[in-house]
């Protein structure tokens, strides 16, 4: 089932689609060569925005939740990709320890955990759940809305503290589905005998969105040369500010100046391409997720005139963490609609393979607003229609597989950027 897409695919994006489809063999070879040099993150999801005149990633998540929103037809692809991923780290793996987020009351999230367990079981692994939540002191079953049950168990040190596992369960690999927003727990440190995936420095305790988009800049420049397009078509401008305190109103000058300079760069591009839309930027925490600490800004004066409610909203993110570093990112309109609601595609990958995706749809948000907020719902993307096999005979802008192929290409550019980002920020590069 293909969602009915009502997107004005005007000028530049049609041109982009044409160029990407014409260059498919070169693109796939280019990715293949890049993956010989770099290791893809274990899994990843990328939020894309399609403005009709540009298609760009706006967020890359290295601990994706939401596997439960993928269409069931895509599961065989996910299982194949998971097999490839596990073989890299532990070819004879038998046991996998999955460590989820602590919020045990969010049944949507727990359905994602259940789906991940299903995928890894199909690859021939025993999968059990170990919880970082100190309240979990014994195996705790949790019933899910679909009638199935998952069991959270307390973590235990094994082998004189050199390994981590559960009672009577010694895993070869530890897979984190917890983004470590509140810091790196000591129980996960010093585990040199096991693979911890993604690595600890991929968590929000260390990771910064500005590092990711700096790496994406590099990737996109090389790619744009290959397919002969303006890199801006695939890339949001950004700037960053540190030492911002929304409560005490410090760092506002940096914010206003950076908003001004990013908006000026966007205006110049809009003029060059005759785009009539009003430019905007998204100001968001440089670390953290869940759509918290985000606002749309159309003029620098807006960041100086924040009322108390707006300042409170921007000051803390998930786990009550204070926001001091912010990224100011070019806002990309989304002209994807499903029925009458604004939508944006989210693409899921395991290892270097696209394994599906969905549209995040929000009926109460505008084309220039963050859709990752309460009230959003999800429509699976029909990647099953040979997403990897574009229809080269179709007229540009008319075929869903072509659109999804493009999404997959841009999402993989973000995946490659994440791989470079993790290499550059690795505290112990010599271990690898």
């Amino acid at each position: 089932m293909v969602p009915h897409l009502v997107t004005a695919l005007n000028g530049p994006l049609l041109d982009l689609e044409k160029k990407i489809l014409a260059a498919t063999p070169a693109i796939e070879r280019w990715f293949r060569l890049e993956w010989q040099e770099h290791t893809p993150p274990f899994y990843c999801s990328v939020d894309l925005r399609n403005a009709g005149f540009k298609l760009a990633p706006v967020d890359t998540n290295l601990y994706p939740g939401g596997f439960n929103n993928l269409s069931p037809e895509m599961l065989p692809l996910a299982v194949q990709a998971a097999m490839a991923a596990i073989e890299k780290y532990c070819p004879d793996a038998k046991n996998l320890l999955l460590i989820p987020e602590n919020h045990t009351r969010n049944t949507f999230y727990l359905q994602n955990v259940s789906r991940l367990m299903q995928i890894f079981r199909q690859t021939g692994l025993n999968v059990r759940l170990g919880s970082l939540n100190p309240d979990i002191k014994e195996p705790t079953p949790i019933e899910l809305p679909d009638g199935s049950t998952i069991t959270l168990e307390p973590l235990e040190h094994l082998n004189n503290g050199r390994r981590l596992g559960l009672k009577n369960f010694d895993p070869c690999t530890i897979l984190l589905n917890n983004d470590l927003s509140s810091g790196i727990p000591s129980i996960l440190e010093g585990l040199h005998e096991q693979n911890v995936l993604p690595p600890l420095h991929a968590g929000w305790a260390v990771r910064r969105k500005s590092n990711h988009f700096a790496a994406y800049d590099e990737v996109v420049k090389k790619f744009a040369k290959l397919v002969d397009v303006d890199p801006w078509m695939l890339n949001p401008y950004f700037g960053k500010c540190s030492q911002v305190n929304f409560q005490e109103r410090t760092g506002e000058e940096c914010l206003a100046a950076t908003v001004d300079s990013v908006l000026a760069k966007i205006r110049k591009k809009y003029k060059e391409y005759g785009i009539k839309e009003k430019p905007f930027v998204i100001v968001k925490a440089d670390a953290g997720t869940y759509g918290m600490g985000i606002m749309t800004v159309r003029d620098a004066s807006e960041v100086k005139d924040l009322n108390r409610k707006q300042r409170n909203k921007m000051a803390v993110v998930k786990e009550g963490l204070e926001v001091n570093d912010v990224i100011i990112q070019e806002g990309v309109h989304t002209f994807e609609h499903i029925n009458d609601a604004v939508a944006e595609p989210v693409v899921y990958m395991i290892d270097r393979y696209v394994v599906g995706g969905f549209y995040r749809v929000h009926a109460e948000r505008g084309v220039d607003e963050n859709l990752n907020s309460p009230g959003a719902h999800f429509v699976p993307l029909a990647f099953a229609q040979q997403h990897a096999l574009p229809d080269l005979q179709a007229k540009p802008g008319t075929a869903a597989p072509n659109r999804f192929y493009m999404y997959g290409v841009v999402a993989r550019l973000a995946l490659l950027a994440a791989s470079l980002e993790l290499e550059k920020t690795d505290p112990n590069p010599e271990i690898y």
Side-chain angles (χ1 to χ4, degrees), residues 98-342:
L98 181 56
I99 299 184
E101 292 281 359
N102 286 352
H103 39 239
T104 48
R105 288 192 191 85
N106 182 338
T107 50
F108 289 115
Y109 171 72
L110 294 174
Q111 282 170 297
N112 150 72
V113 172
S114 174
R115 173 63 66 86
L116 276 172
M117 292 178 80
Q118 185 189 353
I119 290 169
F120 288 108
R121 281 196 177 123
Q122 292 287 316
T123 68
L125 290 167
N126 299 316
V127 188
R128 281 167 62 181
L129 297 176
S131 178
L132 289 167
N133 187 338
D135 298 339
I136 303 283
K137 296 188 166 53
E138 55 188 76
T140 307
I142 295 175
E143 200 167 316
L144 301 181
D146 63 2
S148 65
T149 303
I150 58 173
T151 302
L152 294 171
E153 302 182 59
L155 293 166
E156 284 186 13
H157 271 309
L158 313 169
N159 202 0
N160 295 332
R162 291 204 302 274
R163 296 175 74 84
L164 187 64
L166 308 171
K167 193 174 183 181
N168 304 324
F169 188 76
D170 186 354
C172 151
T173 300
I174 297 168
L175 179 62
L176 295 173
N177 197 244
N178 179 314
D179 62 22
L180 308 180
S181 286
S182 53
I184 297 171
S186 56
I187 198 166
L188 292 178
E189 290 180 319
L191 301 174
H192 301 307
E193 294 183 6
Q194 288 161 300
N195 295 301
V196 178
L197 302 168
L200 296 178
H201 67 282
W204 287 123
V206 179
R207 189 174 177 230
R208 293 293 175 267
K209 292 171 190 173
S210 48
N211 289 337
H212 175 73
F213 282 99
Y216 185 76
D217 254 352
E218 273 178 52
V219 166
V220 121
K221 278 180 185 137
K222 281 164 77 175
F223 179 81
K225 215 175 252 166
L226 174 79
V227 291
D228 184 32
V229 297
D230 177 348
W232 175 76
M233 296 279 179
L234 301 162
N235 194 5
Y237 288 134
F238 76 96
K240 66 176 207 174
C241 286
S242 306
Q243 272 118 29
V244 175
N245 187 319
F246 284 97
Q247 301 290 22
E248 291 171 16
R249 308 193 71 156
T250 52
E252 282 182 357
E253 292 69 28
C254 173
L255 263 179
T258 311
V259 166
D260 248 350
S261 94
V262 175
L263 281 172
K265 284 162 86 174
I266 305 170
R267 277 189 208 105
K268 204 169 152 194
K269 279 291 178 192
Y270 278 19
K271 198 170 166 195
E272 183 184 330
Y273 287 105
I275 293 160
K276 301 286 183 274
E277 306 302 325
K278 189 170 167 55
F280 67 101
V281 296
I282 297 287
V283 176
K284 55 186 170 183
D286 204 4
T289 177
Y290 281 91
M292 297 169 82
I294 294 184
M295 63 181 175
T296 298
V297 175
R298 296 171 192 83
D299 188 82
S301 63
E302 294 172 33
V303 292
K304 287 185 166 164
D305 301 336
L306 296 182
N307 61 34
R308 183 188 285 146
K309 188 179 164 195
Q310 289 167 310
R311 284 207 302 275
N312 288 345
K313 192 182 136 207
M314 291 300 294
V316 289
V317 288
K318 186 179 162 217
E319 310 270 1
L321 283 189
E322 223 176 82
V323 174
N324 297 118
D325 301 329
V326 293
I327 178 169
I328 295 92
Q329 189 179 53
E330 173 183 348
V332 182
H333 299 80
T334 179
F335 289 150
E336 299 276 30
H337 282 75
I338 290 181
N339 301 327
D340 294 328
V342 177

